[in-house]
Amino acid sequence: MSIATAPTSDIALAELLADPFTVYATMRSLGPIVWVPALGRYCVTDHDQIVTMERDSERFSTADLSSPTVRALGQSIISKDGEAHRRERASCEPALRPKVILDDWAPVFQRNTDAIIDTFVDRGRADLAEDFGSRLASRNITDMLGFDEVSDETMLRWSRAIVGGCGNYLDDPDVWAACDTARSEIDDAVASSADRLRSEPDASIISAMANADGNLSVEEMGRNAAVIIGGGINEPNHAITIAVLGLLTNPEQRAQVEADTSGDQWKRVFEESLRWIAPLGITLRKTRHAGEFAGVHLDEGANLLGMFAAANRDPERHENPDAFNINRAAQPHLSFGSGPHMCMGVWMARMSIGQIALPTLFRRLPGLRLAEPVKVVGDAWTDWMFRGLRHLDVGWETS
Amino acid sequence: MNERVPISYLTPDGERHAVEAVAGDTVMSTALANHIPGILANCGGAEMCATCHVYVEQDFVNQLPEMDDEEDGLLGFTASERQPTSRLSCQLVVTHELAGLEVRIPEAQV
């Protein structure tokens, strides 16, 4: 008996950009895996199949050496598998475990959050993406990495240059130049911090890498710092705008959260926001050999996208999935991925955003409201892979 | 090699799932291989997620591998309440001494 080939979805890239969630629903209706010529890739939209794919690095590799991600970052922690991956990942993990985040980093995140709110609290209005989310994420990552002195502006420039490089499928030389400059500056900053942190270890990520048993080279540390700067600023900023939008457009849920003093409701807000609109929509894999997956045949070297954002809206898993609802039955979402490459910053994100940034914003900005209506699709949003609001203009009462 | 060890999982709905584990595997990976509901193991055993939480039957608590600092720290962040018998099943390697082990799966992992 021959195995079926995957169904084809003839969606256009423009449709995906304009209204991704409608396109995801179309893909899901065709089956757990579809071939999408517009992307030149198979798209996996089923939660369980994505988990299976992410767990099985014997069959599915992250090391697509021809991808812009590897051109941008070199072969970093996100493009290695097995023991090579494990060694580098284990060197970072001591700085990112939840107890360290709670004991060592929560006070830093709170201080950074308050300092940034101080700069605009009297104004009565702000753009929460530009004025708050991106700056807070920059500052938190600067501190957690263990950099000596890097301005928010520099961190943002580095982050955008790296994200731009990872998505540079058009091979734009200016994008590569900006990315290469950022990489080289990051390497210098990492080398300088690592020197200091070898003699004065602390709770930071560079300290953990520089003092790990595995003896990471400066090049390895630099690549991993670049991954963290690329992912650790964009996505937290987007998570903040998504969560604030969810609460401000659902007043009864907002009232429920603001009445809570335990912090439990904020946990729900955070997880539901990420389920609703995944800031990182996809993960990349490549088959190591031919075989069957999700009921279809895949050749060796087939490129796959695990579609987190699509799986998170599957009505078979999440009732009325398009609605923002913090009271839905708790179900795992895929916005942090799963398996060996699951987001290392998961506890940092939960703490710095879910337990600190969001509650502090709503407490310190009384009567927080949207300055103008925001649509859930359209130009206000960045692309489908890295999704968030470009701007989120809000107002509040000042005394 | 590949010695089979009977262990069982008690799911929150009261159902008992008896399986033949392979010595050397973990209680977490055995649950995944046997499609036991309620063990999510999001991070795949890296001690980063706390979604493979189990309560170990009292008789076996002292026969388990010792808890390291990472596991102890992570057990403070489980979705269901930590109890004295709480463990992360990714850290429980099956040995023949654990024949008859029963673990209870908590109500929630997320």
Side-chain angles (χ1 to χ4, degrees), chain A residues 265-339:
Chain A
Q265 299 292 322
W266 286 108
K267 282 184 193 163
R268 287 174 168 270
V269 170
F270 180 70
E271 301 297 334
E272 171 63 358
S273 300
L274 295 202
R275 182 208 63 82
W276 185 43
I277 298 173
L280 175 63
I282 56 152
T283 188
L284 300 153
R285 293 292 185 281
K286 200 179 192 73
T287 54
R288 290 184 194 275
H289 41 78
E292 187 191 342
F293 175 63
V296 305
H297 172 82
L298 296 177
D299 288 336
E300 180 185 341
N303 287 308
L304 296 103
L305 293 179
M307 311 289 280
F308 300 149
N312 287 349
R313 295 280 189 112
D314 185 348
E316 301 279 317
R317 273 194 96 86
H318 306 281
E319 197 183 333
N320 192 12
D322 294 337
F324 175 88
N325 178 9
I326 62 169
N327 296 313
R328 67 175 63 250
Q331 277 284 351
H333 60 71
L334 279 176
S335 298
F336 290 111
S338 63

Side-chain angles (χ1 to χ4, degrees), chain A residues 132-154:
Chain A
F132 181 70
S134 57
R135 290 170 61 197
L136 176 63
S138 296
R139 212 164 289 185
N140 285 345
I141 288 286
T142 303
D143 289 340
M144 271 210 81
L145 275 171
F147 278 153
D148 302 327
E149 187 93 12
V150 180
S151 70
D152 298 348
E153 289 68 30
T154 301

Side-chain angles (χ1 to χ4, degrees), chain A residues 4-5 18 25 41 56 62 68 75 90 125 128 176 207 232 261 274 288 299 311 314 346 357 362 364 367 381 394:
Chain A
T5 52
R41 285 176 159 75
D56 192 350
T62 59
Q75 200 174 355
R125 61 179 300 152
L128 286 186
W176 291 134
S207 178
T261 51
L274 295 202
R288 290 184 194 275
D299 288 336
D314 185 348
V346 53
F362 279 81
R364 292 198 57 193
W381 295 83
V394 296

